[in-house]
Amino acid sequence: VGRPLVPEEVPAGGFYVALIRMKWKAAVDAAIAQADEESQVLYAKATHFRRSDPRLMAIAAAIGKTDLELDDLFILADSV
């Protein structure tokens, strides 16, 4: 059986719900508020989020999340 495959891309709605369920949303919102304007716009307006996006990985690292934890977020976001 094993671990589910990590999707490369998830819809924004599932991504935001996963942030809430994993209790990351406040930390991500705070990190985004400190990020560059381009990252802020992309976070607010994106229709999908890609697992390989360097900005997304930088925000995850900024809030102390590992690659494995980010994988878990994407797996959850894909199931919402």
Side-chain angles (χ1 to χ4, degrees), residues 30-43:
I32 289 291
Q34 300 300 315
D36 62 280
E37 185 178 10
E38 191 174 282
S39 295
Q40 291 173 11
V41 169
L42 288 171
Y43 178 70

Side-chain angles (χ1 to χ4, degrees), residues 8 39 42 46 48-59 70 74:
E8 174 51 32
S39 295
L42 288 171
H48 289 80
F49 287 90
R50 294 187 61 77
R51 173 62 181 86
S52 60
D53 184 327
R55 288 180 189 92
L56 189 142
M57 292 188 286
I59 293 295
L70 190 54
F74 269 72

Side-chain angles (χ1 to χ4, degrees), residues 66-78:
T66 66
D67 280 344
L68 191 58
E69 289 171 312
L70 190 54
D71 287 348
D72 289 341
L73 177 78
F74 269 72
I75 292 166
L76 178 58
D78 196 44

